[in-house]
Amino acid sequence: MSQTNEQEPPSRDDLRINFFRPRAGFMRKEVTIIWITLAAWAIMTFGMPIHLALTHSDPTRTLAEVPYIFGIPAYFWFSGQFLILWFIFLCFIFNVLIDWLSSSYRRRR
Amino acid sequence: MEQSIRYTPFFLLCGVLIVSLIVGLLSRRSDRGGYGVQVRSIGHASIGAAIASNWMSAASFLGIAGVFFLNGYFAFAYILGWTGGYVLLLVLMGSQIRRFGKYTAPDFVEARYDSSVARVFSAVIAIVISLIYCVAQYKGIGMVFAWMFGIDYTQALVFGTLITFVYLVVAGGLKAARNPQMHYLVLIISFVVPLMLIAKKLGYNWLVPQFSYGRALRDLPEQVSNAYLFPWTFGSPYEWIALCFTLMVGTAGLPHVLSRFYTVPNNRDARWGVVWGLFFIGLLYWSAPAFGAFARTWLTNSGTILTPADSQALADIIVIKTAEWVGLNEIFVSVLAIGGILAAISTITGLLVTGAGAISYDIYYRLINPKATESHLLLVAKGATLALALLVLVIAVNPPGLIAQITAVAFALAGNTLFPVFLLGIWWDRANKYGAIAGMMVGTIITFAPILLGNLIPTLRTILPPTSSALVGAPVVILTMIIVSRLTPPPPERLRRFLVEKVHSP
């Protein structure tokens, strides 16, 4: 859909910057990467408490029913340990993608 | 509560402070030639260690374990907020702010919004953030000193402040360069090694206490265990999410975190440094809850019963208390105490310097006396440091909450004011000075309304808990900025061109 736009860089007089309507070319790709990372960040961080809030309201029943991992409830391990790893992973992937994007644009210039 | 003075930690503390002064002096002498010149070849891991050492305050070292000890699962909101915020910072504005090329929050605000009024506003906000953050550090110092000397909190606070201040003046006078990598290494070792020994004493897997504390939690009597493991024992889902979100946007808006992006030679190194930085910070946060869990294990095993008030009073030094309770060698108990003090002192140093800089340059020089000479400004900065330190001391005499909670208020303020100003400043060319000023005003009101008016209007505290006001606050401020900016003239063309050509180009 944006193929035609990408061929022609925005004119020098167009100074608009808007996260929701990124400029064609580098910025549009960058914003796509940002959106993907942010989605992966938000869903994992806030998805779990929302899920827990919706499904688990009774302490004794909850702890009897939820799956366990490493001897503790899986959600507990997820929040206490896994998510930090996930954040590190997200930063890693983001950096790889941005490195790739900026080097490909630098070559083009 | 305690009577006798504990000599081991005291002598160890004196030793550590003296050694760090000597090391500072020596390293200053050895790199006199290349003073101020950035070394290009620092590895990403070393940048990460610097990020982590800049980050680790009394809130991380002492505070988190205390919150877990009191509130179980709820403490993960702090842990995730203070790590996930780096993702937000890296993804949304790290590179762009760096390309913008302004090194402090007030500098950025003035350059982007072309307004000295906005600059003063942001400077005042940066100072207040430093103040609140410092109060939490002082509380940590006061608590540890009270424990160390067996004196009451207020005396310990005054004494601790004095020692900190003398150290600060001496170290500052010598320009003793602190080595952040070494600082991180010392802190993490003095945190994790005693934890391993505690796990061993209690009979749990000592190699990875970060995992074995889960086992310890399960071994507690069912009622206690359930309270810790069940997510909503100590806070509602709304409170959890609001707190976590607030700390995240606060991290992304915190001036002294952001400035770390500049002390690295290039953009790419700064980005990769964050990955390592998160890992190093993670090492601490994976471990911190274990102290809280093992403390509860010991209390249960020994049949000691703490009243809620006692637990609350001990929470902020539970890290040290746990080591003492399980009967660790005095040296290791001392190491923990000194780690806490070092984390607090280094944070205070950084914050007071930032705060005093904002007062002397952003407010005094820019607003009151533009003709001031450099030596005159230095004098103002020194006076400001002293004034700030005394002000913090006065507030810290009656600390309004746990270390982690006080710190969280500073994050709420950053998330409600500086975060939206940075975010829109970078991602929306149309954001102008009127929007920024209105946004910062609304953000400040939202942060302090529940604290000041909470007793009059209780619902205010339910919707906007003082530690967690940015879940509602940040979007409201962003909206305010958008509306006000739309109703007023756009920023000058040269600024928007700069954004397009410099800030948003590869």
Side-chain angles (χ1 to χ4, degrees), chain B residues 9 15 111 119 155 193 223 252 322 346 402 404 406 409 419 435 488:
Chain B
R119 180 198 187 99
Q155 286 175 343
V193 171
Q223 206 186 349
T322 314
S346 71
L402 296 172
I406 303 170
V409 176
F419 174 73
T488 44

Side-chain angles (χ1 to χ4, degrees), chain B residues 94-267:
Chain B
S95 309
Q96 289 80 7
I97 287 208
R98 216 195 127 93
R99 280 188 220 120
F100 200 101
K102 292 294 172 202
Y103 303 113
T104 67
D107 273 345
F108 173 85
V109 169
E110 185 183 41
R112 168 61 182 85
Y113 292 103
D114 198 27
S115 152
S116 46
V117 179
R119 180 198 187 99
V120 171
F121 250 99
S122 65
V124 171
I125 288 170
I127 293 165
V128 176
I129 291 172
S130 296
L131 268 179
I132 302 174
Y133 215 111
C134 262
V135 169
Q137 311 302 318
Y138 272 48
K139 188 191 176 194
I141 288 189
M143 297 275 297
V144 177
F145 272 81
W147 167 86
M148 200 184 285
F149 294 104
I151 49 182
D152 79 16
Y153 170 77
T154 312
Q155 286 175 343
L157 185 67
V158 175
F159 185 58
T161 312
L162 222 67
I163 290 196
T164 310
F165 211 70
V166 168
Y167 178 76
L168 212 147
V169 169
V170 175
L174 297 172
K175 286 210 173 61
R178 188 165 74 80
N179 179 335
Q181 289 79 19
M182 186 60 114
H183 184 78
Y184 172 78
L185 207 65
V186 168
L187 284 191
I188 198 72
I189 290 174
S190 60
F191 196 71
V192 175
V193 171
L195 178 64
M196 292 166 110
L197 296 172
I198 291 171
K200 197 172 178 186
K201 278 259 182 200
L202 291 171
Y204 292 100
N205 181 336
W206 61 273
L207 264 177
V208 269
Q210 293 83 352
F211 277 98
S212 53
Y213 80 85
R215 183 78 254 165
L217 284 177
R218 293 281 309 280
D219 286 345
L220 292 170
E222 197 182 344
Q223 206 186 349
V224 185
S225 168
N226 284 1
Y228 273 98
L229 294 175
F230 183 67
W232 317 124
T233 323
F234 299 99
S236 69
Y238 174 76
E239 286 167 338
W240 197 99
I241 291 173
L243 178 61
C244 191
F245 183 84
T246 299
L247 299 178
M248 283 173 167
V249 291
T251 305
L254 218 59
H256 78 278
V257 172
L258 208 64
S259 65
R260 269 286 138 192
F261 266 79
Y262 295 107
T263 49
V264 177
N266 72 59
N267 199 336

Side-chain angles (χ1 to χ4, degrees), chain A residues 52-78:
Chain A
L52 286 175
L54 295 177
T55 52
H56 300 291
S57 50
D58 174 21
T60 33
R61 251 193 58 208
T62 302
L63 294 172
E65 284 171 3
V66 292
Y68 278 68
I69 185 169
F70 303 119
I72 45 172
Y75 67 79
F76 195 89
W77 173 79
F78 179 89

Side-chain angles (χ1 to χ4, degrees), chain B residues 326-350:
Chain B
V326 303
L328 234 53
N329 185 313
E330 246 192 0
I331 295 281
F332 292 106
V333 183
S334 314
V335 159
L336 276 170
I338 286 151
I341 292 179
L342 285 184
I345 289 185
S346 71
T347 312
I348 290 173
T349 314

